[in-house]
Amino acid sequence: IPKNMKQTKWIMGMPITVFIADHSATEKAKESALKEVFDYFTYVDKKFSTYKEDSEISRINRKEIKENEYSEDMKIVFALSKKTRLETLGYFNIITPEGLYDPSGLVKGWSIYNAANILSKLGYKNFYVDAGGDIEVRGKNSKDKIWSVGIRDPFSDDKSRIVKTVFITNCGMATSGTYIRGQHIYN
């Protein structure tokens, strides 16, 4: 029986872990799927990173790209960001105090969801994708049970301190704290 496959890579300034719990797929097929998912995250990083001078978002912020020239993914992210800004009555806004675009707060969850859809389209039913503590799970874990997700204490430096465990499947979950990316939340 082929074993589970789990891999972590550092992309987008955070650890990204993908775990495939399907027993029926071959190890080679799982390796190929992991590569496709990590290649997707690398693509997202190159397109949306505000830290990369040659990213599309950096070029937009420097006004080198006009709105009618935005890539399809950029148009999708801008539309989702506008929708989220309206739904939160302006609390979520990708425009920084300096007047630049920073869609990072939306792109992480969007890319996790898309990565999970890549695995689903490849036929996988049991897996999770975790990027910097935000997670999308599908199906069941390798013991054929609903996934259990531990929520870390956002106020503790002790990374093993779990304040709550939730049991979920076929959905995503996002939390926020300073334990992975440091101080990154502002009002």
Side-chain angles (χ1 to χ4, degrees), residues 95-131:
I95 300 173
T96 70
E98 298 80 27
L100 301 174
Y101 295 109
D102 182 358
S104 306
L106 184 124
V107 166
K108 185 166 111 172
W110 173 78
S111 62
I112 294 167
Y113 176 77
N114 289 340
N117 285 340
I118 289 170
L119 291 171
S120 288
K121 286 177 185 168
L122 291 172
Y124 295 100
K125 299 195 181 326
N126 304 294
F127 59 84
Y128 75 77
V129 179
D130 176 347

Side-chain angles (χ1 to χ4, degrees), residues 6-12 14-19 37-38 41 108 111-113 115-116 119 127-137 148-150 152 173-175 179-180:
K6 179 179 179 181
Q7 194 172 64
T8 301
K9 292 193 176 195
W10 195 270
I11 307 171
M12 297 171 57
M14 66 190 139
I16 297 177
T17 302
V18 180
F19 180 81
V37 168
F38 287 120
F41 278 112
K108 185 166 111 172
S111 62
I112 294 167
Y113 176 77
L119 291 171
F127 59 84
Y128 75 77
V129 179
D130 176 347
D134 295 357
I135 190 166
E136 175 88 16
V137 301
S148 63
V149 179
R152 291 183 188 164
M173 189 171 99
T175 60
Y179 41 78
I180 291 180

Side-chain angles (χ1 to χ4, degrees), residues 8-185:
T8 301
K9 292 193 176 195
W10 195 270
I11 307 171
M12 297 171 57
M14 66 190 139
I16 297 177
T17 302
V18 180
F19 180 81
I20 300 174
D22 284 21
H23 297 297
S24 60
T26 66
E27 196 166 320
K28 187 173 181 176
K30 289 178 187 178
E31 286 173 4
S32 176
L34 290 173
K35 181 181 181 327
E36 189 169 338
V37 168
F38 287 120
D39 285 351
Y40 172 73
F41 278 112
T42 299
Y43 157 81
V44 169
D45 189 34
K46 286 179 181 177
K47 182 167 288 293
F48 292 99
S49 174
T50 58
Y51 299 101
K52 295 185 184 316
E53 289 294 316
D54 60 340
S55 71
E56 184 176 352
I57 195 67
S58 292
R59 294 184 64 219
I60 288 169
N61 280 330
R62 289 193 307 269
K63 304 197 182 337
E64 295 173 6
I65 301 176
K66 297 177 182 143
E67 189 172 348
N68 65 339
E69 300 171 328
Y70 292 178
S71 68
E72 195 57 38
D73 281 338
M74 190 64 67
K75 290 176 186 175
I76 290 168
V77 164
F78 271 67
L80 288 170
S81 296
K82 180 179 179 181
K83 181 178 186 279
T84 306
R85 180 178 49 82
L86 294 171
E87 289 173 347
T88 63
L89 303 176
Y91 282 101
F92 179 86
N93 192 343
I94 66 169
I95 300 173
T96 70
E98 298 80 27
L100 301 174
Y101 295 109
D102 182 358
S104 306
L106 184 124
V107 166
K108 185 166 111 172
W110 173 78
S111 62
I112 294 167
Y113 176 77
N114 289 340
N117 285 340
I118 289 170
L119 291 171
S120 288
K121 286 177 185 168
L122 291 172
Y124 295 100
K125 299 195 181 326
N126 304 294
F127 59 84
Y128 75 77
V129 179
D130 176 347
D134 295 357
I135 190 166
E136 175 88 16
V137 301
R138 304 275 171 94
K140 296 181 178 179
N141 67 23
S142 57
K143 295 178 182 172
D144 202 35
K145 300 204 183 282
I146 298 294
W147 293 99
S148 63
V149 179
I151 301 172
R152 291 183 188 164
D153 183 342
F155 304 107
S156 175
D157 291 332
D158 179 2
K159 293 180 181 179
S160 66
R161 184 170 157 78
I162 303 297
V163 295
K164 181 87 172 166
T165 301
V166 295
F167 298 90
I168 59 175
T169 189
N170 301 325
C171 67
M173 189 171 99
T175 60
S176 196
T178 58
Y179 41 78
I180 291 180
R181 296 187 68 184
Q183 188 62 286
H184 64 283
I185 302 166

